[in-house]
Amino acid sequence: MAPQTAGGKVLWHFTMSLDGFVAGPGHTTEWMYGIKDRAGLIDEYTSTTGAVLGGRDGWEAYPDATATYGGRWQGATFVLTHHPEDAAPSAGVTFLSCDVAEAVAIARAAAGGKNVEVLSPSIGRQLLERGLLDEIDIHIAPVLLGDGIRLYDNPGGRPVPLTLMNGDAGRVTVDVRYRPVPSPG
């Protein structure tokens, strides 16, 4: 896969279970422990990201902006919320109460030509619907969760065709093959 580049893009970026969940129930992420990224992946994103835009639910579950990428990334963090007045202040975090398009514009300005990473399923869906999303970067984890927070949850919505960015043909399936790991006991 080609490395990520800093081009002022708006990226919807997640590690996702094979069955489409980006977090377990209550935004739990312990299912990610022990899963390895390809060599250099974190460095790609820390060097190309200028700002992060997330939602209030995710922020409440993990209210530490200095922990982004294991503490290896530092930059502007924006949390979009309907109630910024009751958010506990946090260094480096700006709570926004505005339209999602305005939130992206604010994050882009703060990113200084680097990318804006969207770390919220609901914000990502809204940006996708408005044509404000440049890329979707997904890392498929070898796990089936069965419940939790879906990457794209849009009941009754229309299918959204996508073009594969890292291959010869844009509209092609991605092949993965896993074997279940026996449970201890």
Side-chain angles (χ1 to χ4, degrees), residues 13-47:
H13 185 213
F14 273 104
T15 296
M16 179 180 75
S17 68
L18 184 60
D19 55 345
F21 295 98
V22 295
H27 284 83
T28 59
T29 58
E30 66 275 350
W31 56 274
M32 289 187 203
Y33 301 141
I35 294 173
K36 296 181 180 178
D37 296 317
R38 72 173 159 78
L41 182 76
I42 301 300
D43 291 335
E44 275 178 37
Y45 287 92
T46 58
S47 67

Short mmCIF file of all heavy atoms in Angstrom, two decimals, residues 13-47:
data_model
loop_
_atom_site.label_atom_id
_atom_site.label_comp_id
_atom_site.label_asym_id
_atom_site.label_seq_id
_atom_site.Cartn_x
_atom_site.Cartn_y
_atom_site.Cartn_z
N HIS A 13 -10.55 7.83 9.39
CA HIS A 13 -9.49 6.87 9.68
C HIS A 13 -9.82 6.03 10.89
O HIS A 13 -10.04 6.57 11.97
CB HIS A 13 -8.18 7.65 9.88
CG HIS A 13 -7.01 6.77 10.06
ND1 HIS A 13 -5.95 7.11 10.85
CD2 HIS A 13 -6.70 5.55 9.56
CE1 HIS A 13 -5.06 6.15 10.82
NE2 HIS A 13 -5.50 5.19 10.04
N PHE A 14 -9.82 4.70 10.69
CA PHE A 14 -10.12 3.79 11.79
C PHE A 14 -9.46 2.44 11.60
O PHE A 14 -9.25 1.99 10.48
CB PHE A 14 -11.63 3.51 11.88
CG PHE A 14 -12.39 4.50 12.70
CD1 PHE A 14 -13.16 5.46 12.07
CD2 PHE A 14 -12.35 4.47 14.08
CE1 PHE A 14 -13.88 6.38 12.81
CE2 PHE A 14 -13.07 5.39 14.83
CZ PHE A 14 -13.83 6.34 14.20
N THR A 15 -9.20 1.77 12.71
CA THR A 15 -9.00 0.33 12.72
C THR A 15 -10.38 -0.24 12.97
O THR A 15 -11.11 0.23 13.85
CB THR A 15 -8.02 -0.10 13.83
OG1 THR A 15 -6.74 0.47 13.54
CG2 THR A 15 -7.91 -1.61 13.92
N MET A 16 -10.74 -1.26 12.19
CA MET A 16 -12.11 -1.80 12.21
C MET A 16 -12.05 -3.31 12.30
O MET A 16 -11.19 -3.95 11.69
CB MET A 16 -12.82 -1.36 10.93
CG MET A 16 -14.24 -1.84 10.79
SD MET A 16 -14.96 -1.25 9.25
CE MET A 16 -14.16 -2.33 8.06
N SER A 17 -12.98 -3.88 13.04
CA SER A 17 -13.10 -5.33 13.08
C SER A 17 -13.57 -5.83 11.71
O SER A 17 -14.15 -5.07 10.92
CB SER A 17 -14.08 -5.76 14.17
OG SER A 17 -15.40 -5.38 13.83
N LEU A 18 -13.36 -7.08 11.43
CA LEU A 18 -13.77 -7.64 10.15
C LEU A 18 -15.27 -7.49 9.92
O LEU A 18 -15.71 -7.35 8.78
CB LEU A 18 -13.36 -9.12 10.09
CG LEU A 18 -13.62 -9.85 8.78
CD1 LEU A 18 -12.87 -9.18 7.63
CD2 LEU A 18 -13.21 -11.30 8.90
N ASP A 19 -16.05 -7.44 11.00
CA ASP A 19 -17.50 -7.30 10.86
C ASP A 19 -17.98 -5.85 10.96
O ASP A 19 -19.16 -5.58 11.12
CB ASP A 19 -18.26 -8.21 11.82
CG ASP A 19 -17.89 -8.02 13.28
OD1 ASP A 19 -16.85 -7.40 13.59
OD2 ASP A 19 -18.62 -8.54 14.15
N GLY A 20 -17.09 -4.89 10.81
CA GLY A 20 -17.48 -3.50 10.63
C GLY A 20 -17.60 -2.63 11.86
O GLY A 20 -18.16 -1.53 11.79
N PHE A 21 -17.05 -3.04 12.99
CA PHE A 21 -17.12 -2.24 14.21
C PHE A 21 -15.79 -1.54 14.47
O PHE A 21 -14.73 -2.15 14.35
CB PHE A 21 -17.48 -3.11 15.42
CG PHE A 21 -18.85 -3.71 15.33
CD1 PHE A 21 -19.03 -5.01 14.88
CD2 PHE A 21 -19.97 -2.96 15.68
CE1 PHE A 21 -20.30 -5.55 14.79
CE2 PHE A 21 -21.24 -3.51 15.59
CZ PHE A 21 -21.41 -4.81 15.14
N VAL A 22 -15.84 -0.26 14.84
CA VAL A 22 -14.63 0.49 15.16
C VAL A 22 -14.40 0.59 16.66
O VAL A 22 -13.34 1.01 17.11
CB VAL A 22 -14.64 1.90 14.52
CG1 VAL A 22 -14.61 1.77 13.00
CG2 VAL A 22 -15.84 2.71 14.98
N ALA A 23 -15.40 0.20 17.42
CA ALA A 23 -15.29 0.11 18.87
C ALA A 23 -16.33 -0.90 19.35
O ALA A 23 -17.34 -1.12 18.68
CB ALA A 23 -15.53 1.46 19.53
N GLY A 24 -16.05 -1.48 20.50
CA GLY A 24 -17.02 -2.38 21.09
C GLY A 24 -18.10 -1.58 21.80
O GLY A 24 -18.13 -0.35 21.75
N PRO A 25 -19.01 -2.26 22.48
CA PRO A 25 -20.05 -1.56 23.24
C PRO A 25 -19.42 -0.57 24.23
O PRO A 25 -18.40 -0.87 24.86
CB PRO A 25 -20.78 -2.69 23.98
CG PRO A 25 -20.52 -3.90 23.14
CD PRO A 25 -19.15 -3.72 22.58
N GLY A 26 -20.00 0.62 24.32
CA GLY A 26 -19.47 1.64 25.22
C GLY A 26 -18.14 2.21 24.76
O GLY A 26 -17.38 2.74 25.56
N HIS A 27 -17.83 2.10 23.47
CA HIS A 27 -16.59 2.59 22.87
C HIS A 27 -15.35 1.84 23.36
O HIS A 27 -14.24 2.35 23.32
CB HIS A 27 -16.41 4.10 23.10
CG HIS A 27 -17.27 4.93 22.23
ND1 HIS A 27 -18.59 5.20 22.53
CD2 HIS A 27 -17.03 5.54 21.04
CE1 HIS A 27 -19.11 5.94 21.57
NE2 HIS A 27 -18.19 6.16 20.65
N THR A 28 -15.50 0.60 23.82
CA THR A 28 -14.35 -0.17 24.28
C THR A 28 -13.41 -0.49 23.13
O THR A 28 -13.84 -0.69 22.00
CB THR A 28 -14.79 -1.48 24.97
OG1 THR A 28 -15.54 -2.25 24.02
CG2 THR A 28 -15.62 -1.22 26.21
N THR A 29 -12.12 -0.53 23.42
CA THR A 29 -11.13 -0.81 22.39
C THR A 29 -10.11 -1.87 22.82
O THR A 29 -9.13 -2.10 22.12
CB THR A 29 -10.37 0.46 22.00
OG1 THR A 29 -9.75 1.01 23.16
CG2 THR A 29 -11.28 1.48 21.35
N GLU A 30 -10.34 -2.54 23.92
CA GLU A 30 -9.35 -3.53 24.37
C GLU A 30 -9.17 -4.67 23.37
O GLU A 30 -8.17 -5.36 23.37
CB GLU A 30 -9.67 -4.08 25.76
CG GLU A 30 -10.93 -4.91 25.86
CD GLU A 30 -12.17 -4.05 26.07
OE1 GLU A 30 -12.06 -2.85 26.33
OE2 GLU A 30 -13.27 -4.60 25.95
N TRP A 31 -10.14 -4.85 22.49
CA TRP A 31 -10.01 -5.87 21.44
C TRP A 31 -8.85 -5.58 20.49
O TRP A 31 -8.38 -6.45 19.78
CB TRP A 31 -11.32 -6.01 20.65
CG TRP A 31 -11.80 -4.72 20.02
CD1 TRP A 31 -12.58 -3.76 20.62
CD2 TRP A 31 -11.52 -4.23 18.72
NE1 TRP A 31 -12.80 -2.72 19.75
CE2 TRP A 31 -12.17 -2.99 18.57
CE3 TRP A 31 -10.80 -4.74 17.62
CZ2 TRP A 31 -12.11 -2.23 17.41
CZ3 TRP A 31 -10.74 -3.97 16.46
CH2 TRP A 31 -11.40 -2.73 16.37
N MET A 32 -8.33 -4.35 20.49
CA MET A 32 -7.21 -3.99 19.63
C MET A 32 -5.86 -4.37 20.21
O MET A 32 -4.87 -4.41 19.48
CB MET A 32 -7.22 -2.48 19.36
CG MET A 32 -8.33 -2.01 18.48
SD MET A 32 -8.07 -0.26 18.11
CE MET A 32 -9.71 0.23 17.69
N TYR A 33 -5.80 -4.64 21.52
CA TYR A 33 -4.52 -4.97 22.14
C TYR A 33 -3.96 -6.25 21.53
O TYR A 33 -4.67 -7.22 21.35
CB TYR A 33 -4.66 -5.11 23.65
CG TYR A 33 -5.19 -3.87 24.34
CD1 TYR A 33 -6.08 -3.96 25.38
CD2 TYR A 33 -4.80 -2.60 23.93
CE1 TYR A 33 -6.59 -2.83 26.00
CE2 TYR A 33 -5.29 -1.46 24.55
CZ TYR A 33 -6.18 -1.59 25.58
OH TYR A 33 -6.67 -0.47 26.19
N GLY A 34 -2.70 -6.21 21.21
CA GLY A 34 -2.05 -7.37 20.63
C GLY A 34 -2.13 -7.42 19.11
O GLY A 34 -1.52 -8.28 18.48
N ILE A 35 -2.87 -6.52 18.50
CA ILE A 35 -2.96 -6.45 17.05
C ILE A 35 -1.85 -5.53 16.56
O ILE A 35 -1.69 -4.41 17.07
CB ILE A 35 -4.34 -5.96 16.59
CG1 ILE A 35 -5.41 -6.98 16.97
CG2 ILE A 35 -4.34 -5.69 15.09
CD1 ILE A 35 -6.82 -6.52 16.73
N LYS A 36 -1.08 -5.98 15.61
CA LYS A 36 0.07 -5.21 15.13
C LYS A 36 -0.27 -4.48 13.84
O LYS A 36 -0.97 -4.99 12.99
CB LYS A 36 1.25 -6.15 14.89
CG LYS A 36 1.71 -6.79 16.17
CD LYS A 36 2.88 -7.69 15.92
CE LYS A 36 3.25 -8.30 17.26
NZ LYS A 36 4.32 -9.22 17.20
N ASP A 37 0.28 -3.28 13.72
CA ASP A 37 0.19 -2.50 12.48
C ASP A 37 1.38 -2.85 11.60
O ASP A 37 2.41 -3.31 12.10
CB ASP A 37 0.24 -1.00 12.79
CG ASP A 37 -0.94 -0.53 13.63
OD1 ASP A 37 -2.07 -0.95 13.33
OD2 ASP A 37 -0.71 0.25 14.58
N ARG A 38 1.26 -2.57 10.32
CA ARG A 38 2.42 -2.77 9.45
C ARG A 38 3.51 -1.78 9.84
O ARG A 38 3.22 -0.69 10.38
CB ARG A 38 2.03 -2.67 7.99
CG ARG A 38 1.71 -1.30 7.50
CD ARG A 38 1.51 -1.28 5.98
NE ARG A 38 0.75 -0.13 5.57
CZ ARG A 38 1.26 1.09 5.47
NH1 ARG A 38 2.52 1.30 5.75
NH2 ARG A 38 0.49 2.09 5.10
N ALA A 39 4.73 -2.14 9.58
CA ALA A 39 5.88 -1.30 9.94
C ALA A 39 5.74 0.09 9.35
O ALA A 39 5.41 0.24 8.17
CB ALA A 39 7.17 -1.95 9.46
N GLY A 40 5.95 1.11 10.16
CA GLY A 40 5.94 2.49 9.71
C GLY A 40 4.57 3.15 9.64
O GLY A 40 4.48 4.34 9.36
N LEU A 41 3.50 2.40 9.90
CA LEU A 41 2.15 2.96 9.75
C LEU A 41 1.92 4.16 10.67
O LEU A 41 1.47 5.21 10.21
CB LEU A 41 1.09 1.89 10.03
CG LEU A 41 -0.35 2.37 9.86
CD1 LEU A 41 -0.68 2.46 8.38
CD2 LEU A 41 -1.32 1.44 10.57
N ILE A 42 2.24 4.02 11.93
CA ILE A 42 2.00 5.12 12.88
C ILE A 42 2.81 6.35 12.47
O ILE A 42 2.32 7.48 12.51
CB ILE A 42 2.32 4.69 14.33
CG1 ILE A 42 1.45 3.51 14.74
CG2 ILE A 42 2.16 5.86 15.29
CD1 ILE A 42 -0.03 3.74 14.70
N ASP A 43 4.06 6.15 12.06
CA ASP A 43 4.89 7.28 11.63
C ASP A 43 4.27 8.00 10.43
O ASP A 43 4.32 9.22 10.34
CB ASP A 43 6.30 6.82 11.28
CG ASP A 43 7.08 6.38 12.51
OD1 ASP A 43 6.74 6.84 13.63
OD2 ASP A 43 8.01 5.57 12.36
N GLU A 44 3.68 7.24 9.50
CA GLU A 44 3.00 7.85 8.35
C GLU A 44 1.92 8.83 8.81
O GLU A 44 1.82 9.94 8.31
CB GLU A 44 2.31 6.78 7.50
CG GLU A 44 3.16 6.13 6.49
CD GLU A 44 2.39 5.06 5.75
OE1 GLU A 44 1.17 5.24 5.47
OE2 GLU A 44 3.00 4.03 5.45
N TYR A 45 1.10 8.37 9.72
CA TYR A 45 -0.02 9.20 10.15
C TYR A 45 0.40 10.33 11.07
O TYR A 45 -0.13 11.43 10.98
CB TYR A 45 -1.13 8.34 10.76
CG TYR A 45 -1.84 7.56 9.68
CD1 TYR A 45 -1.44 6.29 9.32
CD2 TYR A 45 -2.89 8.14 8.98
CE1 TYR A 45 -2.06 5.61 8.30
CE2 TYR A 45 -3.52 7.46 7.96
CZ TYR A 45 -3.10 6.19 7.62
OH TYR A 45 -3.72 5.53 6.59
N THR A 46 1.37 10.09 11.94
CA THR A 46 1.79 11.19 12.82
C THR A 46 2.48 12.30 12.04
O THR A 46 2.38 13.47 12.40
CB THR A 46 2.71 10.69 13.96
OG1 THR A 46 3.85 10.05 13.39
CG2 THR A 46 1.99 9.76 14.90
N SER A 47 3.15 11.96 10.95
CA SER A 47 3.85 12.99 10.17
C SER A 47 2.95 13.70 9.17
O SER A 47 3.30 14.78 8.70
CB SER A 47 5.05 12.38 9.45
OG SER A 47 4.63 11.47 8.46
#
